[in-house]
Amino acid sequence: MSPLSSRRLHLNAFLMGVGHHEAAWRHPRADPSRLTDVRHYQNLARIAERGRLDSVFFADGLALWGNVGYNALGAPEPLTLLAAIATATEHIGLIATVSTTYNEPFHVARKFASLDHISKGRAGWNIVTSAGEAEARNFGIERPAHADRYARATEFLDVVTKLWDSWEDDAILADRGTGAYADTARIHPVEHAGEHFLVRGPLNISRPPQGRPLLVQAGSSEDGKEFAARHAEAVFTAQQTLREGQDFYADLKGRLARYGRTPGELLILPGISPIIGATEREALALEKELEDLTNPEYGLAQLSNILGVDLSGLPLDGPLPEIAETTEGQQSRQRLVLDLARREGLTIRQVLGRLAGGRGHRVVAGTPEQIAGQIEEWFRDGAADGFNVMPPILPGGLEDFVDHVVPILQGKGLFRMEYEGRTLRENYGLARPASRYAASRVETRDAAVAS
Amino acid sequence: MSPLSSRRLHLNAFLMGVGHHEAAWRHPRADPSRLTDVRHYQNLARIAERGRLDSVFFADGLALWGNVGYNALGAPEPLTLLAAIATATEHIGLIATVSTTYNEPFHVARKFASLDHISKGRAGWNIVTSAGEAEARNFGIERPAHADRYARATEFLDVVTKLWDSWEDDAILADRGTGAYADTARIHPVEHAGEHFLVRGPLNISRPPQGRPLLVQAGSSEDGKEFAARHAEAVFTAQQTLREGQDFYADLKGRLARYGRTPGELLILPGISPIIGATEREALALEKELEDLTNPEYGLAQLSNILGVDLSGLPLDGPLPEIAETTEGQQSRQRLVLDLARREGLTIRQVLGRLAGGRGHRVVAGTPEQIAGQIEEWFRDGAADGFNVMPPILPGGLEDFVDHVVPILQGKGLFRMEYEGRTLRENYGLARPASRYAASRVETRDAAVAS
């Protein structure tokens, strides 16, 4: 029996406003007035839970990105929103993006611990280092260089995990008789003193139900991949072709051993924006309908920004000009777009269409069978442990996926019929980490006994 | 007809773990295992809403304060918790404490705007400057001096209100036909450049339903009162006697004119911890029962800390020693405790009992009629616009208040039978602020027309 038979796919619903397609808000199936309506997001999470998806996820930025003149921007802050979603759901994981560049570890440790308690073990943290210039301007600092951001992120994560570990699992006694609330020997100051942070601790909330909320990451630069190999338990990534997906998968999994980790300790979930129709013709018609609702002027400005070259005035139905690759900032997205355009010989207008749909993630238009087939192929052929599903329109596109694609994946034995566990870690099949302080206390005690 | 007849009392439920009394967690009516259970807090907010209370409120600190060996510490972070409570309630205001010393204005503006959207206009911010030494150690800085903390708070608030104002109320067009999502002329960079902050803006979420979430404050130092007079719309305060309450009330209301504000623009809510019994004897028995559950050793350490003098070894049934008053840090709490002990001739043990119950706030044990009588007296005699209700045990003490005290206040015509409005501002009777940018844009347009 192949080990594949017991291997299960993991599915995350990447939620973004009223849909991932940039023109979703103009489509009759979307309602842009729900962008700040918590019931909209609770409804999305319940749909995902009905489909037994592992988790929902919100990206984030700390500035008003893009052009709000054309785009439906301004959803609530992810952690606040996920706390409200937690109480409307029972099983689904709740993953929020939070930056290590513009935050303090004490706050971040505490907020995720709070969300993990509120959700009874369903919190996950998508760790980002915030590449944007606009974000730096909202925090009064110069944008730090790439390597500096990752150095800070590494120390940040060290502090956060220390704080999560600072209360051992059994620190609370709550002994009404003696009046002893906690065993203070099991609550540890973390006394962190590093290059970026001085944090005494302990945290002011007990250990999260998962021990540590799930650590997620999405950077695909060299620093990003190394950070993921060392720390991440799930990785969201943008890969356009099976070959690219396989290369990324093999590359990242291959880096784990140097940190003493096994391939099963990190799950790789490429993005997929499924444009679903009952027939292929219907799916393509929906794709075209959305493309016709985009604003080429806005798209061209965005593409110019990604490529670092002013494209205005160029004919939309001609090819992209020759562009020298840059090395700082957006380089992975620049390369992705250039490769995509060259490989498929796309015109500028066609590139705009792809970006409008998935912002660099793979867009697949087809029937539920075709979408499920793509997912199965990548999963079986070493390109994915699961997928980061990015519905073009919300809630409709998520309903289509849950009602029509998920049952096919379940029928193939690739996806769960019921949740395996109670926490996000359990559903992702990942171990619950022990507190580092519990271990050291036991060792100290053993040493004392031995001496 | 006296103007008092139309004046209505405002009631805030100050929620703290399983009760305000330090020994609450040991009492049979409390369940300490619910300290991190979101359903416990949702239940408390629903009870308060059943009583038509204006709001619920969480205090906060950024360190593990007090002694967790004896005290049930470690509730979830307030903003995260209130987002979860928002979706379980419809009317009640949601007030979270957030520090201006250890945060960034962009995050704070965004999180409160998010909570205000999620709750459809029920968010309030209790602004604190974090006096504690332990907090500074979790953020790697020296504790700033009192005046510096207030200078930062003043600029912080300026930035936050600019960010809340940065989208005018009518900025979103969502015109599907033309594809115009927002009128970018109505979304303003704030371009703040001050002594503490450089923030470009605009915020990345639209204007909160209340325009600006309610601004609450609780400092009673000279800087604190001046800050409140300038900015706060509701003030929580600890006052032990009617006379002290009247003096504070007159002092603070008297400061408003210099900022061009009227007395009705700031509500003063002293704290009251009501220990309620069907008879006075029952109430006093409950007070004694809670006192017997406290740990005098822990209380003595806490009192030593407040007074800045080591009291260990002194006889509990003797008086407090003579103590010189200090001028920095805890001075307002120190004075409050010394005044209380002198006025009532309390022994050390009796002082400990009062602190265990209300941490410096007024503790009143009695029947529902007696509690309602006290509330009415302070309200009618110029000491209060309402009360910050601190039940000794949660949920039981809040249920007693809602079921037995509130109906008496309603019967006297002092308290609402139904919510007057839909937002926290409307229920507190406070105006919705206009965006400063909308005003300047209109003025610019008028000037252009006039010239």
Side-chain angles (χ1 to χ4, degrees):
Chain A
M1 211 162 107
S2 137
L4 276 182
S5 62
S6 63
R7 197 175 150 241
R8 289 290 180 89
L9 187 67
H10 298 280
L11 295 172
N12 173 72
F14 181 173
L15 305 181
M16 179 170 278
V18 296
H20 277 274
H21 197 284
E22 135 196 341
W25 70 269
R26 297 182 65 186
H27 195 274
R29 283 183 81 189
D31 176 359
S33 75
R34 306 203 67 188
L35 189 71
T36 51
D37 184 347
V38 67
R39 290 167 305 182
H40 168 64
Y41 298 100
Q42 290 181 322
N43 180 44
L44 296 178
R46 283 198 203 99
I47 294 166
E49 190 166 87
R50 186 175 89 211
R52 308 290 186 264
L53 268 57
D54 293 75
S55 46
V56 296
F57 156 65
F58 291 100
D60 197 44
L62 297 169
L64 185 61
W65 274 348
N67 188 332
V68 71
Y70 303 116
N71 269 63
L73 302 173
E77 187 276 328
L79 270 173
T80 314
L81 195 48
L82 285 172
I85 291 174
T87 64
T89 53
E90 273 181 72
H91 300 284
I92 200 151
L94 308 163
I95 302 174
T97 298
V98 172
S99 166
T100 53
T101 300
Y102 303 108
N103 277 294
E104 289 288 330
F106 193 88
H107 288 311
V108 171
R110 185 179 184 218
K111 282 173 189 284
F112 277 104
S114 296
L115 181 62
D116 209 46
H117 278 291
I118 286 171
S119 64
K120 301 198 183 302
R122 297 187 279 136
W125 172 22
N126 178 41
I127 305 160
V128 298
T129 66
S130 305
E133 184 66 43
E135 297 181 291
R137 292 208 194 102
N138 286 333
F139 293 88
I141 62 171
E142 290 293 308
R143 182 177 60 159
H146 196 265
D148 294 342
R149 293 201 311 274
Y150 273 97
R152 179 181 164 106
T154 299
E155 190 183 333
F156 195 111
L157 192 59
D158 186 35
V159 182
V160 167
T161 56
K162 282 175 180 167
L163 288 166
W164 285 336
D165 287 353
S166 63
W167 294 49
E168 295 181 35
D169 291 318
D170 52 2
I172 296 176
L173 308 170
D175 185 332
R176 293 169 197 251
T178 64
Y181 182 70
D183 177 356
T184 52
R186 295 173 194 225
I187 299 178
H188 307 267
V190 307
E191 302 289 7
H192 178 91
E195 200 178 329
H196 301 83
F197 305 107
L198 284 168
V199 180
R200 191 181 194 203
L203 198 57
N204 55 354
I205 184 165
S206 59
R207 195 147 197 261
Q210 293 185 100
R212 300 177 189 169
L214 192 77
L215 299 177
V216 182
Q217 205 258 1
S220 52
S221 67
E222 192 59 26
D223 285 335
K225 282 190 278 196
E226 212 54 29
F227 185 89
R230 194 167 158 191
H231 302 293
E233 300 172 289
V235 164
F236 298 146
T237 179
Q239 305 296 334
Q240 288 286 341
T241 66
L242 177 62
R243 167 58 66 88
E244 284 171 2
Q246 289 167 329
D247 288 349
F248 179 86
Y249 189 95
D251 176 9
L252 189 49
K253 295 268 181 173
R255 294 172 191 242
L256 293 168
R258 75 180 76 155
Y259 301 106
R261 304 179 70 197
T262 61
E265 293 177 50
L266 182 152
L267 302 174
I268 297 176
L269 289 81
I272 183 170
S273 185
I275 301 187
I276 303 168
T279 62
E280 193 174 341
R281 180 192 299 253
E282 265 187 35
L284 294 172
L286 174 58
E287 186 173 34
K288 177 74 166 54
E289 196 183 356
L290 284 164
E291 200 178 305
D292 289 345
L293 290 172
T294 58
N295 182 317
E297 186 190 334
Y298 163 67
L300 207 60
Q302 251 198 336
L303 182 58
S304 299
N305 191 32
I306 291 171
L307 298 180
V309 168
D310 182 7
L311 302 172
S312 56
L314 289 179
L316 292 179
D317 295 309
L320 278 176
E322 284 301 312
I323 288 163
E325 291 186 20
T326 55
T327 51
E328 175 63 43
Q330 296 257 33
Q331 78 270 37
S332 47
R333 283 192 80 198
Q334 185 198 50
R335 176 163 311 144
L336 190 148
V337 170
L338 292 176
D339 286 353
L340 173 71
R342 283 175 198 147
R343 187 175 57 242
E344 305 192 23
L346 302 180
T347 64
I348 292 178
R349 190 189 301 278
Q350 287 168 324
V351 171
L352 294 183
R354 296 294 181 89
L355 284 180
R359 298 181 318 285
H361 285 272
R362 195 162 64 115
V363 178
V364 180
T367 63
E369 291 73 16
Q370 287 172 323
I371 308 281
Q374 288 281 311
I375 288 175
E376 180 173 14
E377 184 184 26
W378 283 49
F379 178 66
R380 292 206 188 277
D381 289 357
D385 296 311
F387 280 85
N388 189 21
V389 181
M390 304 163 60
I393 300 174
L394 290 167
L398 182 61
E399 287 176 316
D400 290 347
F401 186 84
V402 160
D403 294 339
H404 302 296
V405 179
V406 166
I408 298 172
L409 297 170
Q410 289 172 325
K412 289 172 187 274
L414 294 173
F415 194 61
R416 69 172 66 85
M417 299 296 292
E418 295 299 338
Y419 286 101
E420 296 89 357
R422 298 166 58 93
T423 69
L424 175 54
R425 282 186 175 280
E426 286 168 4
N427 289 322
Y428 267 134
L430 297 165
R432 183 181 187 282
S435 163
R436 73 189 76 191
Y437 299 102
S440 72
R441 194 169 52 78
V442 171
E443 279 160 23
T444 310
R445 192 198 292 151
D446 290 350
V449 170
S451 68
Chain B
M1 213 164 104
S2 138
L4 277 181
S5 62
S6 64
R7 199 175 149 240
R8 289 292 180 87
L9 187 67
H10 297 280
L11 295 172
N12 172 72
F14 181 173
L15 305 180
M16 180 171 278
V18 296
H20 277 272
H21 198 285
E22 131 196 344
W25 70 270
R26 297 182 66 184
H27 194 275
R29 284 182 82 188
D31 177 358
S33 76
R34 306 203 66 187
L35 189 71
T36 50
D37 183 348
V38 67
R39 289 169 305 182
H40 168 63
Y41 298 100
Q42 289 181 322
N43 180 44
L44 295 178
R46 283 198 202 100
I47 294 166
E49 190 166 88
R50 186 174 90 210
R52 309 290 186 264
L53 268 56
D54 293 75
S55 46
V56 296
F57 156 65
F58 290 101
D60 197 44
L62 298 168
L64 186 61
W65 274 349
N67 189 331
V68 71
Y70 303 115
N71 269 63
L73 302 173
E77 188 277 325
L79 270 173
T80 314
L81 194 49
L82 284 172
I85 290 173
T87 65
T89 52
E90 272 181 74
H91 300 284
I92 199 153
L94 309 162
I95 302 174
T97 299
V98 172
S99 167
T100 54
T101 300
Y102 303 109
N103 276 294
E104 290 288 333
F106 192 88
H107 288 311
V108 172
R110 185 178 182 218
K111 281 173 190 287
F112 277 104
S114 297
L115 181 62
D116 209 47
H117 277 291
I118 286 171
S119 64
K120 301 199 184 298
R122 296 186 281 133
W125 172 23
N126 178 43
I127 305 160
V128 297
T129 67
S130 305
E133 184 66 44
E135 298 180 290
R137 293 209 193 99
N138 286 332
F139 294 88
I141 61 171
E142 291 293 308
R143 182 177 59 158
H146 196 266
D148 294 341
R149 293 201 312 275
Y150 274 98
R152 180 181 163 106
T154 299
E155 189 183 333
F156 195 111
L157 191 59
D158 185 38
V159 182
V160 167
T161 56
K162 282 174 180 167
L163 288 166
W164 285 336
D165 288 353
S166 63
W167 295 49
E168 295 180 36
D169 291 319
D170 53 1
I172 296 176
L173 308 170
D175 185 333
R176 294 168 197 252
T178 64
Y181 181 71
D183 177 354
T184 52
R186 293 171 195 229
I187 300 178
H188 306 267
V190 307
E191 302 290 5
H192 178 91
E195 199 177 329
H196 301 83
F197 304 108
L198 283 168
V199 180
R200 190 182 194 203
L203 198 58
N204 55 354
I205 183 166
S206 59
R207 196 151 195 260
Q210 294 185 100
R212 301 176 188 168
L214 192 77
L215 300 177
V216 181
Q217 206 258 0
S220 51
S221 67
E222 193 56 31
D223 285 335
K225 282 189 278 196
E226 214 50 32
F227 185 89
R230 194 167 157 191
H231 301 294
E233 300 173 290
V235 164
F236 298 146
T237 180
Q239 304 297 331
Q240 288 286 342
T241 66
L242 177 62
R243 167 57 67 88
E244 284 171 3
Q246 289 167 329
D247 289 349
F248 180 85
Y249 189 95
D251 175 8
L252 190 49
K253 294 268 181 174
R255 292 172 192 244
L256 292 168
R258 76 181 74 154
Y259 300 107
R261 303 179 71 196
T262 61
E265 292 177 49
L266 182 151
L267 304 173
I268 297 177
L269 290 81
I272 184 170
S273 185
I275 302 188
I276 303 169
T279 62
E280 194 175 341
R281 180 191 299 255
E282 263 187 36
L284 293 172
L286 175 58
E287 185 173 36
K288 177 74 167 56
E289 196 184 354
L290 284 165
E291 199 178 305
D292 289 345
L293 290 171
T294 58
N295 182 316
E297 187 190 333
Y298 164 68
L300 208 59
Q302 251 199 334
L303 181 57
S304 299
N305 191 32
I306 289 171
L307 298 180
V309 168
D310 183 7
L311 302 172
S312 56
L314 290 179
L316 290 179
D317 295 309
L320 277 177
E322 284 301 310
I323 289 162
E325 291 186 18
T326 55
T327 52
E328 174 62 44
Q330 296 257 33
Q331 77 271 38
S332 47
R333 283 191 82 198
Q334 185 198 47
R335 176 162 311 145
L336 189 150
V337 170
L338 292 175
D339 287 351
L340 173 68
R342 284 175 199 148
R343 187 174 56 242
E344 305 192 22
L346 302 179
T347 64
I348 292 179
R349 190 189 302 277
Q350 287 169 324
V351 172
L352 295 183
R354 296 295 181 87
L355 285 179
R359 298 182 317 285
H361 285 272
R362 194 161 64 115
V363 179
V364 180
T367 63
E369 290 74 17
Q370 288 173 321
I371 308 280
Q374 288 280 311
I375 288 175
E376 181 174 13
E377 184 185 26
W378 283 49
F379 178 67
R380 291 207 186 275
D381 289 357
D385 297 311
F387 281 84
N388 188 22
V389 181
M390 304 163 58
I393 301 174
L394 290 165
L398 182 61
E399 286 176 317
D400 290 347
F401 186 85
V402 159
D403 294 338
H404 302 297
V405 180
V406 166
I408 298 172
L409 297 170
Q410 289 172 324
K412 290 173 187 274
L414 294 173
F415 194 60
R416 69 171 67 84
M417 299 297 293
E418 294 299 336
Y419 286 102
E420 296 88 357
R422 297 167 59 92
T423 69
L424 174 53
R425 283 187 175 279
E426 286 167 3
N427 289 321
Y428 268 134
L430 297 166
R432 183 182 188 280
S435 163
R436 74 189 77 191
Y437 299 103
S440 72
R441 194 169 50 76
V442 170
E443 281 160 24
T444 311
R445 193 196 291 152
D446 290 350
V449 170
S451 66

